[in-house]
Amino acid sequence: MPLLAIESSCDETAVAIYGKSSSSDNNSLLASLISSQIELHKDLGGVVPELASRNHTQRISPLVAEALEKAGLSAQEIDAFAATGGPGLASSLTVGHSFAKGLALAAKKPFLSVNHMEGHLLSPFVGEEQIPPHLALIVSGGHTLLIRVRSVGDYQLLGQTLDDAAGEAFDKVAKMLELPYPGGPEIEKLAKTGDPTAFDFPRSMLNEDNLDFSFSGLKTSVLYTLKKLPNPRERLPDLCASFQAAVFEVLIAKALRAARREKLSLITLSGGVSCNATLREQLSAACHEEGLTFRSSPPSLSTDNAAMIAFAAYHRLRAGQTSSLSTDIDPNLKLA
């Protein structure tokens, strides 16, 4: 069941093919390609939607052709086509969604519109046939979610951010510190040589009896601290380490609390911020102390990619689900 998926929710054009190869009976990634726009938006300090969608339009056709060549398949040999339907930038989503619909229509094959966050949610299991019940922590630029997963498609929202997502807070603090875009990796790099106890930043909602998050107060605290420092550039490692520690303490505490409440023995971590090695190491250690199993999506599947979209579509297709060609994008699509 070779399935081709397209991801274009923001500033990465990605194409992946998932299924059985001629040399194996097991499903696997036959191709996974990403065309990054980081250099395109770097000097602008963030993603410019019009520029992003224009680049998607230029890159998508040659990327599909390259993926098919790498997999050793023709478009006619693909059994289904999928694309991210939301959430994301409307102009970017439209490019990939429309292209995949066109491929499905031309080949007379099924089309699946996939939730971008479901792709992240399932990414720690890419290549597997069964998705076990677990507690999922999704941490990205636009979302911070705690989800109870019973099975594919059966999700319960337990907690979410009430303001800035964790990844968004990383990006905004990086701007305050005048670090290059994207800011998350820069903060992680500087934090490695800093003291995480140097600044006592707030752990918002840490002790409240709920599973929601708030990071806007932390961001404001960093801003006020910067104004008080005579030379903030000299304290960048300590600032980054202290900020990162404040974010991660709350994420880990809430994830463990959710797992205990729901009586779940497996915690997964996914989303762009899960690329951060310190977060993965700290959550893994915390799970070990609690006697819980921990799994994280590999760094290659943590940021936006089409492999996770193909994998989510594969499981939907296995369950007999497809989407109508009249299905539209939804920039604010909810996961649960």
Side-chain angles (χ1 to χ4, degrees):
M1 191 189 292
L3 183 151
L4 186 149
I6 296 171
E7 153 62 23
S8 66
S9 62
C10 189
D11 62 334
E12 311 281 40
T13 315
V15 179
I17 298 175
Y18 185 82
K20 290 184 175 69
S21 68
S22 57
S23 59
S24 173
D25 289 333
N26 297 320
N27 286 299
S28 62
L29 281 172
L30 306 180
S32 182
L33 305 174
I34 300 175
S35 176
S36 175
Q37 296 187 26
I38 286 179
E39 292 303 318
L40 198 63
H41 301 275
K42 195 170 187 178
D43 293 338
L44 303 171
V47 178
V48 179
E50 184 182 348
L51 196 59
S53 61
R54 191 185 312 148
N55 191 262
H56 284 312
T57 303
Q58 294 170 348
R59 290 295 303 137
I60 195 164
S61 184
L63 209 61
V64 167
E66 187 180 346
L68 288 168
E69 183 180 358
K70 185 173 182 181
L73 297 168
S74 67
Q76 289 69 36
E77 292 175 293
I78 300 296
D79 286 336
F81 296 88
T84 304
L89 299 174
S91 54
S92 290
L93 287 165
T94 299
V95 177
H97 210 244
S98 300
F99 200 91
K101 280 184 184 180
L103 291 171
L105 183 63
K108 297 180 181 178
K109 298 293 175 64
F111 167 72
L112 294 98
S113 183
V114 177
N115 188 309
H116 180 79
M117 301 314 297
E118 184 173 33
H120 280 306
L121 179 78
L122 300 179
S123 61
F125 303 97
V126 168
E128 299 185 17
E129 293 298 305
Q130 300 298 324
I131 308 299
H134 64 277
L135 186 283
L137 172 61
I138 307 175
V139 194
S140 68
H143 298 80
T144 304
L145 303 170
L146 281 170
I147 303 285
R148 175 177 181 143
V149 179
R150 295 185 178 89
S151 61
V152 174
D154 188 356
Y155 312 131
Q156 179 186 357
L157 176 65
L158 302 177
Q160 62 185 326
T161 183
L162 303 181
D163 40 60
D164 292 346
E168 184 181 1
F170 265 84
D171 288 339
K172 289 180 177 177
V173 167
K175 269 192 176 182
M176 290 180 200
L177 301 177
E178 298 180 355
L179 299 177
Y181 171 86
E186 296 296 325
I187 287 179
E188 179 185 10
K189 190 189 307 178
L190 286 165
K192 289 177 181 177
T193 59
D195 178 4
T197 64
F199 298 96
D200 187 21
F201 291 134
R203 273 67 169 164
S204 300
M205 302 182 71
L206 179 62
N207 298 314
E208 294 188 22
D209 189 29
N210 60 52
L211 298 172
D212 291 323
F213 304 91
S214 171
F215 296 108
S216 63
L218 170 58
K219 179 188 63 181
T220 303
S221 180
V222 173
L223 179 62
Y224 287 157
T225 300
L226 285 174
K227 290 180 178 179
K228 294 175 185 176
L229 293 175
N231 192 349
R233 302 297 299 178
E234 293 180 354
R235 302 296 305 278
L236 279 181
D238 289 344
L239 285 163
C240 289
S242 299
F243 163 75
Q244 185 173 268
V247 174
F248 292 170
E249 184 177 339
V250 177
L251 290 175
I252 292 168
K254 296 267 183 168
L256 293 175
R257 185 182 304 169
R260 285 193 294 264
R261 286 186 183 180
E262 299 298 316
K263 297 179 172 57
L264 294 166
S265 60
L266 170 62
I267 292 180
T268 65
L269 174 66
S270 59
V273 181
S274 70
C275 279
N276 188 297
T278 302
L279 175 57
R280 292 200 309 273
E281 290 164 6
Q282 290 184 357
L283 183 51
S284 177
C287 285
H288 181 73
E289 287 181 15
E290 293 270 337
L292 304 174
T293 303
F294 171 73
R295 292 186 65 160
S296 177
S297 56
S300 62
L301 298 181
S302 295
T303 53
D304 292 351
N305 64 88
M308 67 183 190
I309 302 302
F311 183 66
Y314 164 74
H315 277 277
R316 290 285 186 172
L317 196 59
R318 277 184 70 197
Q321 301 174 24
T322 60
S323 305
S324 166
L325 288 175
S326 63
T327 302
D328 203 357
I329 61 160
D330 182 353
N332 301 307
L333 186 63
K334 302 296 183 186
L335 178 60

